[in-house]
């Protein structure tokens, strides 16, 4: 991990309609290349090596270990010349909505 030269900055946002609920009862999870990374509602920075990556974002109710609710995935590349990628993962307002992931 110490030799990683690139950063993914992930902004994880619940729907404004249900934000209070998600902040109290759920925890977002960001997974990069199959590895769970510490995340929170708001902004998280994840160190990675330059190259191609697959990122998934989902949430769990607090206390759950295996659930992958509202999961969405996106593939992207990070070059050594531009070692920073900023991504927004927004959760839709309806129950059962998936995250929408887009590069900023």
């Amino acid at each position: 991990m110490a030799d990683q030269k690139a950063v993914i900055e992930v902004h994880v946002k619940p729907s404004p309609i249900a934000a209070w609920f998600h902040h109290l009862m759920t925890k977002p999870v960001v997974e990069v290349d199959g590895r769970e990374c510490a995340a929170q509602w708001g902004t998280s920075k994840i160190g990675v090596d330059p190259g191609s990556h697959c990122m998934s974002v989902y949430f769990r109710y607090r206390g759950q270990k295996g659930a992958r609710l509202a999961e969405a995935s996106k593939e992207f590349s990070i070059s050594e010349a531009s070692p920073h990628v900023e991504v927004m993962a927004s959760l839709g307002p309806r129950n059962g909505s998936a995250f929408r992931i887009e590069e900023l």
Side-chain angles (χ1 to χ4, degrees):
M1 295 272 194
D3 59 341
Q4 294 172 339
K5 301 176 184 130
V7 173
I8 305 168
E9 188 171 342
V10 185
H11 304 283
V12 184
K13 293 176 53 175
S15 165
I17 295 168
W20 66 272
F21 174 81
H22 284 287
H23 284 282
L24 289 173
M25 304 298 290
T26 68
K27 181 175 172 99
V29 179
V30 176
E31 192 174 277
V32 178
D33 299 330
R35 177 179 56 97
E36 275 191 29
C37 304
Q40 61 188 13
W41 294 110
T43 303
S44 301
K45 293 184 180 182
I46 301 167
V48 296
D49 293 323
S52 296
H53 299 280
C54 181
M55 180 179 74
S56 295
V57 180
Y58 50 93
F59 74 87
R60 293 180 177 142
Y61 288 102
R62 294 189 184 273
Q64 286 185 328
K65 301 256 188 232
R68 299 172 74 98
L69 304 170
E71 184 172 9
S73 298
K74 181 169 180 71
E75 292 189 16
F76 59 92
S77 293
I78 300 178
S79 69
E80 288 187 29
S82 180
H84 182 265
V85 170
E86 198 168 350
V87 176
M88 174 74 70
S90 303
L91 185 58
R94 298 178 56 151
N95 192 16
S97 295
F99 276 97
R100 185 179 67 234
I101 303 172
E102 56 190 337
E103 287 188 47
L104 301 177

